[in-house]
mmCIF file of all heavy atoms in Angstrom:
data_model
loop_
_atom_site.group_PDB
_atom_site.id
_atom_site.type_symbol
_atom_site.label_atom_id
_atom_site.label_comp_id
_atom_site.label_asym_id
_atom_site.label_seq_id
_atom_site.Cartn_x
_atom_site.Cartn_y
_atom_site.Cartn_z
ATOM 1 N N GLU E 1 0.833 -1.214 -0.001
ATOM 2 C CA GLU E 1 -0.003 0.012 -0.020
ATOM 3 C C GLU E 1 0.857 1.273 0.022
ATOM 4 O O GLU E 1 0.558 2.238 -0.734
ATOM 5 C CB GLU E 1 -0.968 0.037 1.246
ATOM 6 C CG GLU E 1 -2.038 -0.978 1.159
ATOM 7 C CD GLU E 1 -2.971 -0.973 2.343
ATOM 8 O OE1 GLU E 1 -2.428 -0.833 3.494
ATOM 9 O OE2 GLU E 1 -4.202 -1.061 2.143
ATOM 10 N N ARG E 2 1.888 1.282 0.805
ATOM 11 C CA ARG E 2 2.745 2.452 0.925
ATOM 12 C C ARG E 2 3.410 2.801 -0.487
ATOM 13 O O ARG E 2 3.367 3.956 -0.919
ATOM 14 C CB ARG E 2 3.833 2.235 1.949
ATOM 15 C CG ARG E 2 4.811 3.456 2.102
ATOM 16 C CD ARG E 2 5.933 3.195 3.127
ATOM 17 N NE ARG E 2 6.626 1.931 3.001
ATOM 18 C CZ ARG E 2 7.611 1.703 2.089
ATOM 19 N NH1 ARG E 2 7.992 2.642 1.227
ATOM 20 N NH2 ARG E 2 8.248 0.567 2.075
ATOM 21 N N ILE E 3 3.926 1.802 -1.100
ATOM 22 C CA ILE E 3 4.617 2.032 -2.395
ATOM 23 C C ILE E 3 3.564 2.338 -3.454
ATOM 24 O O ILE E 3 3.768 3.222 -4.302
ATOM 25 C CB ILE E 3 5.511 0.844 -2.738
ATOM 26 C CG1 ILE E 3 6.646 0.716 -1.733
ATOM 27 C CG2 ILE E 3 6.071 0.975 -4.176
ATOM 28 C CD1 ILE E 3 7.474 -0.572 -1.862
ATOM 29 N N ALA E 4 2.452 1.633 -3.465
ATOM 30 C CA ALA E 4 1.396 1.883 -4.486
ATOM 31 C C ALA E 4 0.874 3.305 -4.389
ATOM 32 O O ALA E 4 0.646 3.974 -5.364
ATOM 33 C CB ALA E 4 0.240 0.889 -4.286
ATOM 34 N N GLU E 5 0.706 3.781 -3.117
ATOM 35 C CA GLU E 5 0.207 5.140 -2.925
ATOM 36 C C GLU E 5 1.219 6.158 -3.501
ATOM 37 O O GLU E 5 0.786 7.139 -4.085
ATOM 38 C CB GLU E 5 -0.047 5.385 -1.453
ATOM 39 C CG GLU E 5 -0.776 6.653 -1.155
ATOM 40 C CD GLU E 5 -1.252 6.813 0.253
ATOM 41 O OE1 GLU E 5 -0.840 6.039 1.124
ATOM 42 O OE2 GLU E 5 -2.051 7.723 0.501
ATOM 43 N N GLU E 6 2.496 5.912 -3.307
ATOM 44 C CA GLU E 6 3.520 6.799 -3.889
ATOM 45 C C GLU E 6 3.390 6.920 -5.405
ATOM 46 O O GLU E 6 3.604 7.959 -5.992
ATOM 47 C CB GLU E 6 4.896 6.303 -3.547
ATOM 48 C CG GLU E 6 5.339 6.420 -2.099
ATOM 49 C CD GLU E 6 6.657 5.734 -1.791
ATOM 50 O OE1 GLU E 6 7.409 5.423 -2.719
ATOM 51 O OE2 GLU E 6 6.945 5.568 -0.583
ATOM 52 N N TYR E 7 2.970 5.849 -6.050
ATOM 53 C CA TYR E 7 2.832 5.804 -7.503
ATOM 54 C C TYR E 7 1.396 6.135 -7.951
ATOM 55 O O TYR E 7 1.147 6.198 -9.117
ATOM 56 C CB TYR E 7 3.207 4.424 -8.049
ATOM 57 C CG TYR E 7 4.734 4.247 -8.142
ATOM 58 C CD1 TYR E 7 5.464 3.807 -7.024
ATOM 59 C CD2 TYR E 7 5.379 4.428 -9.324
ATOM 60 C CE1 TYR E 7 6.805 3.579 -7.093
ATOM 61 C CE2 TYR E 7 6.734 4.233 -9.404
ATOM 62 C CZ TYR E 7 7.485 3.811 -8.252
ATOM 63 O OH TYR E 7 8.820 3.620 -8.364
ATOM 64 N N GLY E 8 0.506 6.261 -6.960
ATOM 65 C CA GLY E 8 -0.919 6.576 -7.288
ATOM 66 C C GLY E 8 -1.613 5.410 -7.968
ATOM 67 O O GLY E 8 -2.525 5.659 -8.793
ATOM 68 N N ILE E 9 -1.267 4.218 -7.596
ATOM 69 C CA ILE E 9 -1.919 3.015 -8.197
ATOM 70 C C ILE E 9 -2.920 2.452 -7.207
ATOM 71 O O ILE E 9 -2.567 2.211 -6.033
ATOM 72 C CB ILE E 9 -0.821 1.965 -8.555
ATOM 73 C CG1 ILE E 9 0.199 2.540 -9.535
ATOM 74 C CG2 ILE E 9 -1.483 0.710 -9.153
ATOM 75 C CD1 ILE E 9 1.419 1.650 -9.761
ATOM 76 N N PRO E 10 -4.135 2.190 -7.683
ATOM 77 C CA PRO E 10 -5.167 1.593 -6.742
ATOM 78 C C PRO E 10 -4.814 0.163 -6.386
ATOM 79 O O PRO E 10 -4.219 -0.590 -7.145
ATOM 80 C CB PRO E 10 -6.428 1.644 -7.593
ATOM 81 C CG PRO E 10 -6.019 1.787 -8.991
ATOM 82 C CD PRO E 10 -4.661 2.434 -9.007
ATOM 83 N N VAL E 11 -5.160 -0.184 -5.143
ATOM 84 C CA VAL E 11 -4.925 -1.544 -4.596
ATOM 85 C C VAL E 11 -6.240 -2.126 -4.199
ATOM 86 O O VAL E 11 -7.060 -1.478 -3.576
ATOM 87 C CB VAL E 11 -3.978 -1.479 -3.372
ATOM 88 C CG1 VAL E 11 -3.822 -2.869 -2.778
ATOM 89 C CG2 VAL E 11 -2.630 -0.884 -3.739
ATOM 90 N N ILE E 12 -6.415 -3.418 -4.483
ATOM 91 C CA ILE E 12 -7.584 -4.168 -4.069
ATOM 92 C C ILE E 12 -7.050 -5.339 -3.221
ATOM 93 O O ILE E 12 -6.249 -6.166 -3.726
ATOM 94 C CB ILE E 12 -8.426 -4.682 -5.221
ATOM 95 C CG1 ILE E 12 -8.923 -3.538 -6.083
ATOM 96 C CG2 ILE E 12 -9.619 -5.521 -4.694
ATOM 97 C CD1 ILE E 12 -9.615 -3.954 -7.370
ATOM 98 N N LEU E 13 -7.461 -5.433 -1.979
ATOM 99 C CA LEU E 13 -7.136 -6.537 -1.098
ATOM 100 C C LEU E 13 -8.261 -7.527 -1.110
ATOM 101 O O LEU E 13 -9.441 -7.164 -0.845
ATOM 102 C CB LEU E 13 -6.897 -6.024 0.321
ATOM 103 C CG LEU E 13 -5.923 -4.890 0.553
ATOM 104 C CD1 LEU E 13 -5.946 -4.414 2.003
ATOM 105 C CD2 LEU E 13 -4.517 -5.301 0.155
ATOM 106 N N LEU E 14 -7.975 -8.775 -1.402
ATOM 107 C CA LEU E 14 -9.004 -9.810 -1.381
ATOM 108 C C LEU E 14 -8.694 -10.809 -0.301
ATOM 109 O O LEU E 14 -7.565 -11.291 -0.179
ATOM 110 C CB LEU E 14 -9.017 -10.531 -2.728
ATOM 111 C CG LEU E 14 -9.503 -9.680 -3.908
ATOM 112 C CD1 LEU E 14 -8.300 -9.122 -4.705
ATOM 113 C CD2 LEU E 14 -10.426 -10.423 -4.787
ATOM 114 N N CYS E 15 -9.716 -11.116 0.484
ATOM 115 C CA CYS E 15 -9.520 -12.056 1.602
ATOM 116 C C CYS E 15 -10.823 -12.830 1.816
ATOM 117 O O CYS E 15 -11.852 -12.434 1.322
ATOM 118 C CB CYS E 15 -9.076 -11.375 2.876
ATOM 119 S SG CYS E 15 -10.315 -10.247 3.574
ATOM 120 N N ASP E 16 -10.759 -13.922 2.567
ATOM 121 C CA ASP E 16 -11.975 -14.697 2.774
ATOM 122 C C ASP E 16 -12.619 -14.224 4.127
ATOM 123 O O ASP E 16 -12.086 -13.325 4.800
ATOM 124 C CB ASP E 16 -11.750 -16.201 2.766
ATOM 125 C CG ASP E 16 -10.831 -16.687 3.846
ATOM 126 O OD1 ASP E 16 -10.749 -16.039 4.965
ATOM 127 O OD2 ASP E 16 -10.148 -17.719 3.680
ATOM 128 N N THR E 17 -13.734 -14.798 4.428
ATOM 129 C CA THR E 17 -14.481 -14.367 5.607
ATOM 130 C C THR E 17 -13.848 -14.649 6.935
ATOM 131 O O THR E 17 -14.264 -14.140 7.964
ATOM 132 C CB THR E 17 -15.905 -14.982 5.571
ATOM 133 O OG1 THR E 17 -15.746 -16.413 5.481
ATOM 134 C CG2 THR E 17 -16.727 -14.493 4.371
ATOM 135 N N SER E 18 -12.778 -15.442 6.933
ATOM 136 C CA SER E 18 -12.083 -15.731 8.223
ATOM 137 C C SER E 18 -11.031 -14.697 8.554
ATOM 138 O O SER E 18 -10.379 -14.786 9.584
ATOM 139 C CB SER E 18 -11.429 -17.125 8.173
ATOM 140 O OG SER E 18 -10.449 -17.186 7.231
ATOM 141 N N HIS E 19 -10.809 -13.718 7.690
ATOM 142 C CA HIS E 19 -9.885 -12.635 7.931
ATOM 143 C C HIS E 19 -10.611 -11.293 8.002
ATOM 144 O O HIS E 19 -11.580 -11.087 7.291
ATOM 145 C CB HIS E 19 -8.852 -12.564 6.818
ATOM 146 C CG HIS E 19 -7.951 -13.756 6.813
ATOM 147 N ND1 HIS E 19 -8.295 -14.901 6.137
ATOM 148 C CD2 HIS E 19 -6.755 -14.014 7.332
ATOM 149 C CE1 HIS E 19 -7.317 -15.809 6.260
ATOM 150 N NE2 HIS E 19 -6.367 -15.277 6.988
ATOM 151 N N VAL E 20 -10.164 -10.460 8.870
ATOM 152 C CA VAL E 20 -10.709 -9.107 8.990
ATOM 153 C C VAL E 20 -9.668 -8.129 8.520
ATOM 154 O O VAL E 20 -8.617 -8.012 9.178
ATOM 155 C CB VAL E 20 -11.147 -8.811 10.451
ATOM 156 C CG1 VAL E 20 -11.721 -7.406 10.576
ATOM 157 C CG2 VAL E 20 -12.169 -9.854 10.866
ATOM 158 N N LEU E 21 -9.927 -7.377 7.474
ATOM 159 C CA LEU E 21 -9.007 -6.404 6.996
ATOM 160 C C LEU E 21 -9.645 -5.013 6.942
ATOM 161 O O LEU E 21 -10.829 -4.897 6.657
ATOM 162 C CB LEU E 21 -8.508 -6.736 5.580
ATOM 163 C CG LEU E 21 -7.573 -7.955 5.441
ATOM 164 C CD1 LEU E 21 -7.265 -8.130 3.970
ATOM 165 C CD2 LEU E 21 -6.311 -7.803 6.249
ATOM 166 N N TYR E 22 -8.867 -4.010 7.197
ATOM 167 C CA TYR E 22 -9.328 -2.643 7.082
ATOM 168 C C TYR E 22 -8.167 -1.876 6.419
ATOM 169 O O TYR E 22 -7.002 -2.105 6.737
ATOM 170 C CB TYR E 22 -9.619 -2.100 8.435
ATOM 171 C CG TYR E 22 -9.862 -0.567 8.405
ATOM 172 C CD1 TYR E 22 -11.064 -0.051 7.951
ATOM 173 C CD2 TYR E 22 -8.837 0.298 8.783
ATOM 174 C CE1 TYR E 22 -11.275 1.335 7.908
ATOM 175 C CE2 TYR E 22 -9.068 1.685 8.689
ATOM 176 C CZ TYR E 22 -10.240 2.185 8.274
ATOM 177 O OH TYR E 22 -10.431 3.548 8.173
ATOM 178 N N SER E 23 -8.493 -0.939 5.580
ATOM 179 C CA SER E 23 -7.491 -0.122 4.941
ATOM 180 C C SER E 23 -8.032 1.247 4.647
ATOM 181 O O SER E 23 -9.170 1.450 4.225
ATOM 182 C CB SER E 23 -7.035 -0.802 3.612
ATOM 183 O OG SER E 23 -6.124 0.051 2.954
ATOM 184 N N GLU E 24 -7.168 2.240 4.866
ATOM 185 C CA GLU E 24 -7.542 3.581 4.493
ATOM 186 C C GLU E 24 -7.192 3.895 3.035
ATOM 187 O O GLU E 24 -7.674 4.894 2.482
ATOM 188 C CB GLU E 24 -6.800 4.558 5.443
ATOM 189 C CG GLU E 24 -7.332 4.532 6.841
ATOM 190 C CD GLU E 24 -6.876 5.665 7.689
ATOM 191 O OE1 GLU E 24 -6.339 6.668 7.180
ATOM 192 O OE2 GLU E 24 -7.019 5.522 8.925
ATOM 193 N N TYR E 25 -6.384 3.072 2.453
ATOM 194 C CA TYR E 25 -5.947 3.298 1.045
ATOM 195 C C TYR E 25 -6.612 2.312 0.071
ATOM 196 O O TYR E 25 -7.117 2.716 -0.983
ATOM 197 C CB TYR E 25 -4.394 3.204 0.912
ATOM 198 C CG TYR E 25 -4.005 3.479 -0.536
ATOM 199 C CD1 TYR E 25 -3.988 4.759 -1.007
ATOM 200 C CD2 TYR E 25 -3.601 2.492 -1.396
ATOM 201 C CE1 TYR E 25 -3.626 5.044 -2.345
ATOM 202 C CE2 TYR E 25 -3.242 2.713 -2.686
ATOM 203 C CZ TYR E 25 -3.246 4.001 -3.175
ATOM 204 O OH TYR E 25 -2.913 4.284 -4.483
ATOM 205 N N SER E 26 -6.625 1.065 0.432
ATOM 206 C CA SER E 26 -7.047 0.032 -0.502
ATOM 207 C C SER E 26 -8.590 -0.228 -0.383
ATOM 208 O O SER E 26 -9.192 -0.010 0.640
ATOM 209 C CB SER E 26 -6.345 -1.289 -0.182
ATOM 210 O OG SER E 26 -4.972 -1.153 -0.329
ATOM 211 N N GLU E 27 -9.101 -0.788 -1.500
ATOM 212 C CA GLU E 27 -10.464 -1.319 -1.459
ATOM 213 C C GLU E 27 -10.279 -2.773 -0.972
ATOM 214 O O GLU E 27 -9.419 -3.484 -1.373
ATOM 215 C CB GLU E 27 -10.991 -1.376 -2.919
ATOM 216 C CG GLU E 27 -12.376 -1.975 -3.057
ATOM 217 C CD GLU E 27 -12.863 -2.081 -4.466
ATOM 218 O OE1 GLU E 27 -12.214 -1.483 -5.366
ATOM 219 O OE2 GLU E 27 -13.906 -2.735 -4.653
ATOM 220 N N VAL E 28 -11.163 -3.146 -0.002
ATOM 221 C CA VAL E 28 -11.108 -4.459 0.586
ATOM 222 C C VAL E 28 -12.346 -5.212 0.065
ATOM 223 O O VAL E 28 -13.452 -4.735 0.194
ATOM 224 C CB VAL E 28 -11.112 -4.418 2.127
ATOM 225 C CG1 VAL E 28 -11.195 -5.811 2.696
ATOM 226 C CG2 VAL E 28 -9.896 -3.629 2.659
ATOM 227 N N LYS E 29 -12.034 -6.418 -0.466
ATOM 228 C CA LYS E 29 -13.152 -7.308 -0.930
ATOM 229 C C LYS E 29 -13.104 -8.559 -0.100
ATOM 230 O O LYS E 29 -12.069 -9.252 -0.147
ATOM 231 C CB LYS E 29 -13.025 -7.604 -2.452
ATOM 232 C CG LYS E 29 -13.240 -6.423 -3.314
ATOM 233 C CD LYS E 29 -13.360 -6.886 -4.771
ATOM 234 C CE LYS E 29 -13.738 -5.763 -5.708
ATOM 235 N NZ LYS E 29 -15.128 -5.526 -5.727
ATOM 236 N N ILE E 30 -14.150 -8.789 0.625
ATOM 237 C CA ILE E 30 -14.250 -10.055 1.423
ATOM 238 C C ILE E 30 -15.039 -11.036 0.585
ATOM 239 O O ILE E 30 -16.212 -10.776 0.193
ATOM 240 C CB ILE E 30 -14.914 -9.735 2.756
ATOM 241 C CG1 ILE E 30 -14.000 -8.753 3.521
ATOM 242 C CG2 ILE E 30 -15.027 -11.044 3.544
ATOM 243 C CD1 ILE E 30 -14.567 -8.214 4.816
ATOM 244 N N ILE E 31 -14.418 -12.164 0.310
ATOM 245 C CA ILE E 31 -15.004 -13.161 -0.565
ATOM 246 C C ILE E 31 -15.529 -14.273 0.348
ATOM 247 O O ILE E 31 -14.849 -14.660 1.312
ATOM 248 C CB ILE E 31 -13.942 -13.721 -1.533
ATOM 249 C CG1 ILE E 31 -13.204 -12.583 -2.254
ATOM 250 C CG2 ILE E 31 -14.550 -14.696 -2.505
ATOM 251 C CD1 ILE E 31 -14.101 -11.649 -3.004
ATOM 252 N N GLY E 32 -16.646 -14.891 -0.019
ATOM 253 C CA GLY E 32 -17.227 -15.956 0.763
ATOM 254 C C GLY E 32 -16.253 -17.109 0.910
ATOM 255 O O GLY E 32 -15.318 -17.323 0.095
ATOM 256 N N ALA E 33 -16.468 -17.855 1.986
ATOM 257 C CA ALA E 33 -15.599 -19.026 2.227
ATOM 258 C C ALA E 33 -15.728 -20.071 1.121
ATOM 259 O O ALA E 33 -16.698 -20.118 0.447
ATOM 260 C CB ALA E 33 -15.953 -19.627 3.573
ATOM 261 N N GLY E 34 -14.729 -20.808 0.997
ATOM 262 C CA GLY E 34 -14.710 -21.885 0.018
ATOM 263 C C GLY E 34 -13.301 -22.041 -0.527
ATOM 264 O O GLY E 34 -12.538 -21.080 -0.649
ATOM 265 N N ALA E 35 -12.949 -23.277 -0.862
ATOM 266 C CA ALA E 35 -11.617 -23.527 -1.403
ATOM 267 C C ALA E 35 -11.394 -22.728 -2.604
ATOM 268 O O ALA E 35 -12.153 -22.756 -3.584
ATOM 269 C CB ALA E 35 -11.494 -25.032 -1.678
ATOM 270 N N ASP E 36 -10.300 -21.952 -2.615
ATOM 271 C CA ASP E 36 -9.845 -21.163 -3.738
ATOM 272 C C ASP E 36 -10.802 -20.066 -4.179
ATOM 273 O O ASP E 36 -10.644 -19.432 -5.233
ATOM 274 C CB ASP E 36 -9.565 -22.032 -4.980
ATOM 275 C CG ASP E 36 -8.558 -23.127 -4.638
ATOM 276 O OD1 ASP E 36 -7.590 -22.799 -3.968
ATOM 277 O OD2 ASP E 36 -8.721 -24.256 -5.117
ATOM 278 N N ALA E 37 -11.799 -19.713 -3.344
ATOM 279 C CA ALA E 37 -12.745 -18.639 -3.656
ATOM 280 C C ALA E 37 -12.072 -17.285 -3.911
ATOM 281 O O ALA E 37 -12.352 -16.567 -4.825
ATOM 282 C CB ALA E 37 -13.856 -18.503 -2.575
ATOM 283 N N VAL E 38 -11.088 -16.994 -3.024
ATOM 284 C CA VAL E 38 -10.346 -15.690 -3.158
ATOM 285 C C VAL E 38 -9.542 -15.737 -4.394
ATOM 286 O O VAL E 38 -9.457 -14.745 -5.133
ATOM 287 C CB VAL E 38 -9.470 -15.466 -1.906
ATOM 288 C CG1 VAL E 38 -8.523 -14.287 -2.132
ATOM 289 C CG2 VAL E 38 -10.346 -15.191 -0.664
ATOM 290 N N ASP E 39 -8.880 -16.880 -4.698
ATOM 291 C CA ASP E 39 -8.075 -16.984 -5.894
ATOM 292 C C ASP E 39 -8.898 -16.733 -7.205
ATOM 293 O O ASP E 39 -8.432 -15.974 -8.045
ATOM 294 C CB ASP E 39 -7.381 -18.378 -6.027
ATOM 295 C CG ASP E 39 -6.476 -18.637 -4.865
ATOM 296 O OD1 ASP E 39 -6.094 -17.690 -4.134
ATOM 297 O OD2 ASP E 39 -6.153 -19.856 -4.617
#
C-alpha cells in the first residue's frame, strides 16, 4: 500500500471471511468461504 500510494496506483485486497482487514488506502473485498474462492 505504501509504495502503491507513492505511484498513485489503486490496490484491491482480497480475503476470505475468516480474515478481517481494514485499509484507509485500498479497497477491501471479502469473498465468501470456499476452497480457492479468493483466488
Side-chain angles (χ1 to χ4, degrees):
E1 289 180 319
R2 177 181 52 80
I3 295 171
E5 190 170 12
E6 290 173 15
Y7 283 83
I9 302 170
V11 176
I12 302 172
L13 306 174
L14 293 97
C15 64
D16 64 28
T17 55
S18 65
H19 294 84
V20 177
L21 290 179
Y22 169 79
S23 174
E24 291 190 16
Y25 182 74
S26 300
E27 176 183 352
V28 177
K29 289 190 176 279
I30 300 171
I31 310 302
D36 303 319
V38 170
D39 298 344

